[in-house]
Amino acid sequence: MRFLAMIVAVWAFVTPLAAQDSGDIEDVIGQQLEAFLERDVDKAWTFASPMIQGMFGNAGNFGMMVQQGYPMVWDNRDATFLEQETGPGETLQKVFIRDAQGNGWVLLYAMIATDAGWKINGVTVIPAPDVSA
């Protein structure tokens, strides 16, 4: 009986933390998407992980990469947060997004927890399933 009570207590403690992490992750991604729409590349840069910042060196290079390589992020519309999966060292967040032309995309954000909060450690475009007969 004590064991069951301990499991319930741990679950009650962990569940709100997972929900908080989910909200925090969505907030970080949402703020970066908003920053790109406002063309505030310096602000968008603050949501990138140290690894991403090391790869691009400065906000200008990072912004140019996003504008050229991820136009659906640069001119994003209607972001909807989908499922989230936690793995070793990172949490993966799927996001459905519409680009400026109204086309839908699913992006997989790799998120890492840092001393400064959640940071975006990479974005992958998930290919649409083949629906041809």
Side-chain angles (χ1 to χ4, degrees):
M1 190 66 160
R2 283 186 189 160
F3 181 71
L4 181 59
M6 187 173 67
I7 290 175
V8 170
V10 168
W11 178 79
F13 179 74
V14 171
T15 300
L17 292 178
Q20 180 182 358
D21 282 351
S22 177
D24 291 347
I25 286 171
E26 291 176 8
D27 189 48
V28 166
I29 295 169
Q31 286 184 60
Q32 188 184 62
L33 291 171
E34 184 178 320
F36 283 127
L37 280 177
E38 295 171 353
R39 301 304 186 244
D40 189 346
V41 176
D42 290 330
K43 183 176 179 182
W45 174 250
T46 67
F47 301 108
S49 72
M51 181 199 72
I52 298 295
Q53 289 184 354
M55 285 174 56
F56 293 98
N58 62 57
N61 291 338
F62 175 68
M64 190 169 20
M65 178 278 298
V66 172
Q67 185 179 14
Q68 293 173 359
Y70 295 87
M72 74 291 286
V73 171
W74 184 255
D75 284 316
N76 65 85
R77 304 286 185 269
D78 302 324
T80 303
F81 293 91
L82 305 173
E83 63 267 15
Q84 189 179 95
E85 182 180 322
T86 300
E90 69 181 5
T91 296
L92 301 176
Q93 173 69 58
K94 283 187 183 176
V95 181
F96 176 80
I97 199 166
R98 291 200 183 276
D99 62 18
Q101 292 74 38
N103 300 312
W105 302 83
V106 177
L107 305 176
L108 186 63
Y109 280 77
M111 305 294 296
I112 60 167
T114 71
D115 291 340
W118 287 100
K119 298 292 180 178
I120 300 168
N121 201 42
V123 179
T124 304
V125 178
I126 298 174
D130 183 11
V131 293
S132 61

